[in-house]
Amino acid sequence: MTAIICLAKSDGIVIYTDGASLDARNGAYLNPCRKAQIFVHQPMIMAARGPMLATSLLEFACDKYTTFDAAVDAMPKCAYSAVSQAHGATKAEIGLEVFFGGWSARSRSWEAYRTWLLGDTLDKLDEGSLELTRIPFLRFAPDPGPEALEQLGVITNGALHLRSDAEIVNLMEGLRATKFYLGSHDGGTKGCVVGAFVQKTSLTANGAKAEIIHRWPDVIGKPLGVP
């Protein structure tokens, strides 16, 4: 499980992720890891939530495209292929959520999108799987719900307050304190799914940059959030 916050701005794309790989069976912290990818062949950054092999295969599949628009058009196919290969090799869960953004030569603007797939079998995916949704300004996952967001001060009178790094870290702290299902599918064990660090990956006309803006004292081998 991964926390992802994607911002589509007029001057670029910013993706925030946590940095913990965890065991979906019991929530144990396995190792710190980078979850956002900067592509060198096209102006694009991406982060995904799902089995590690599936996310790695997705990055490899997208790396062959030389324009962001081509990657946009191919993303649902690439996501399905990555999940199919991962499931065939390791019986990994059939679940993946992808956030990505970049410079579109087609629209001459910065664009961000989300796509996902989930299902019990590859030939029986949940309704809405593999649809490509444009992110107008902000999208994040997992979503703790409007009441929790209001308690965190992220939403006031229906308005979002997520424009600074400090506000993003505050949201990440709230997600960290919320118990979510450890796997891609609802059901089973719940626990903390956000940990290690908060990584900010940004892409503008001046290039791409990744930096760590917050760290947590999580211990490898223990559940996230447990000292």
Side-chain angles (χ1 to χ4, degrees):
M1 187 64 78
T2 300
I4 301 174
I5 302 170
C6 181
L7 287 166
K9 305 168 72 174
S10 60
D11 61 348
I13 306 295
V14 184
I15 295 178
Y16 297 85
T17 58
D18 80 309
S21 174
L22 74 158
D23 189 329
R25 298 169 299 179
N26 55 24
Y29 176 29
L30 298 177
N31 55 267
C33 64
R34 167 196 56 79
K35 298 181 180 179
Q37 173 73 13
I38 297 172
F39 291 86
V40 296
H41 299 304
Q42 76 269 50
M44 183 173 88
I45 56 177
M46 179 181 75
R49 290 162 24 99
M52 187 176 297
L53 179 57
T55 60
S56 297
L57 289 168
L58 179 63
E59 291 178 6
F60 181 76
C62 292
D63 202 39
K64 67 183 179 183
Y65 297 101
T66 57
T67 69
F68 173 70
D69 294 317
V72 170
D73 295 340
M75 188 60 73
K77 178 183 68 176
C78 290
Y80 180 85
S81 176
V83 171
S84 177
Q85 291 180 66
H87 181 70
T90 66
K91 301 303 178 185
E93 284 188 313
I94 300 172
L96 188 68
E97 186 173 16
V98 187
F99 295 77
F100 66 106
W103 173 257
S104 170
R106 213 159 31 200
S107 66
R108 298 192 61 78
S109 64
W110 295 98
E111 296 180 353
Y113 292 89
R114 169 187 177 262
T115 192
W116 62 276
L117 71 154
L118 191 69
D120 294 325
T121 64
L122 286 166
D123 56 1
K124 191 179 180 181
L125 297 176
D126 289 3
E127 184 177 354
S129 288
L130 298 176
E131 290 181 0
L132 199 61
T133 304
R134 178 84 178 267
I135 299 173
F137 167 62
L138 174 137
R139 188 72 184 256
F140 58 86
D143 188 341
E147 291 185 4
L149 293 176
E150 286 189 10
Q151 291 176 358
L152 288 168
V154 175
I155 294 179
T156 305
N157 297 325
L160 279 166
H161 304 286
L162 283 175
R163 297 182 182 275
S164 70
D165 288 350
E167 290 169 330
I168 293 293
V169 170
N170 182 50
L171 173 56
M172 285 286 195
E173 290 281 14
L175 296 177
R176 178 176 166 86
T178 305
K179 305 300 182 184
F180 295 98
Y181 289 113
L182 297 177
S184 300
H185 298 256
D186 289 348
T189 304
K190 283 187 173 183
C192 176
V193 300
V194 179
F197 56 81
V198 179
Q199 178 177 321
K200 176 184 181 181
T201 306
S202 55
L203 177 64
T204 69
N206 295 322
K209 180 174 69 172
E211 56 186 317
I212 305 300
I213 62 171
H214 186 76
R215 293 185 185 274
W216 290 290
D218 292 309
V219 179
I220 289 177
K222 292 186 178 182
L224 296 176
V226 176

